[in-house]
Amino acid sequence: MAIQRTLSIIKPDAIAKNVIGDIIRRFEENGLSIIAMKMTHLSAAEAGRFYAVHAERPFYKDLCTFMSSGPILAMCLEGKNAIALNRQLMGATNPKEAEEGTIRADHADSIDANAVHGSDSEENAAIEINFFFSDLDIHSRS
Ligand code: IDP
Ligand code: MG
């Protein structure tokens, strides 16, 4: 499997719980390298642009309110099969369905406040990485 890049976000709920280190440890222990990192606090409009693919979903407004409720940590992860591997480490969207030992099983409280975001395809990873980072911010280690 080729080396891929994916976007990870530690969401406001997990930042508030002070579990950044625990989440990053899981990435590094599973062969993913952080090649760009930024703490930021999105406005609701910026969160809306990031989640534009969900604009028609009933939960869109709540999602934008939540994602702009506090600081987040955006990261570009790089490694073998990075997109699927990150999704596996995250666990299911609804923490009640997330496999034991996943980030969401351990740190998420609800389907709204579910600790982390991860890109779901190569196409979306490229768009999402570009949303937060310029080429100058990214330091490949592959
Ligand atoms: P993902 O984050 O696992 O990729 P998506 O389906 O892409 O899940 O949804 C994006 C985000 O929108 C989720 O992480 C979650 O915070 C929120 N969300 C998804 N489905 C629901 C829902 O049914 N109710 C409330 N929020 C939802
Ligand atoms: Mg998604």
Side-chain angles (χ1 to χ4, degrees):
M1 173 49 84
I3 299 288
Q4 291 179 326
R5 292 177 180 180
T6 190
L7 187 85
S8 167
I9 300 176
I10 301 184
K11 295 186 178 184
D13 57 319
I15 297 286
K17 286 183 180 169
N18 215 24
V19 293
I20 291 172
D22 178 72
I23 293 171
I24 287 174
R25 175 186 61 74
R26 297 167 191 242
F27 296 148
E28 293 189 334
E29 283 183 358
N30 286 279
L32 295 171
S33 300
I34 297 163
I35 62 167
M37 177 181 259
K38 179 186 287 176
M39 187 172 274
T40 188
H41 189 154
L42 299 177
S43 67
E46 288 164 340
R49 274 204 297 128
F50 180 77
Y51 277 117
V53 290
H54 293 310
E56 304 307 321
R57 309 282 284 276
F59 56 81
Y60 177 67
K61 194 165 178 288
D62 288 345
L63 175 61
C64 296
T65 301
F66 169 66
M67 286 301 285
S68 58
S69 67
I72 60 168
L73 189 70
M75 287 170 280
C76 181
L77 306 178
E78 183 182 71
K80 271 191 210 155
N81 203 14
I83 295 168
L85 175 56
N86 180 41
R87 300 284 313 186
Q88 190 186 319
L89 296 173
M90 288 164 63
T93 306
N94 184 347
K96 288 191 190 119
E97 292 161 13
E99 219 175 292
E100 203 178 317
T102 59
I103 295 167
R104 282 169 165 166
D106 290 346
H107 294 306
D109 294 326
S110 67
I111 195 166
D112 307 83
N114 63 0
V116 280
H117 167 85
S119 308
D120 62 7
S121 65
E122 288 206 28
E123 187 190 355
N124 286 335
I127 293 168
E128 291 175 2
I129 291 164
N130 193 53
F131 182 90
F132 286 101
F133 301 110
S134 80
D135 287 352
L136 289 175
D137 301 319
I138 298 174
H139 306 279
S140 176
R141 306 223 292 281
S142 71

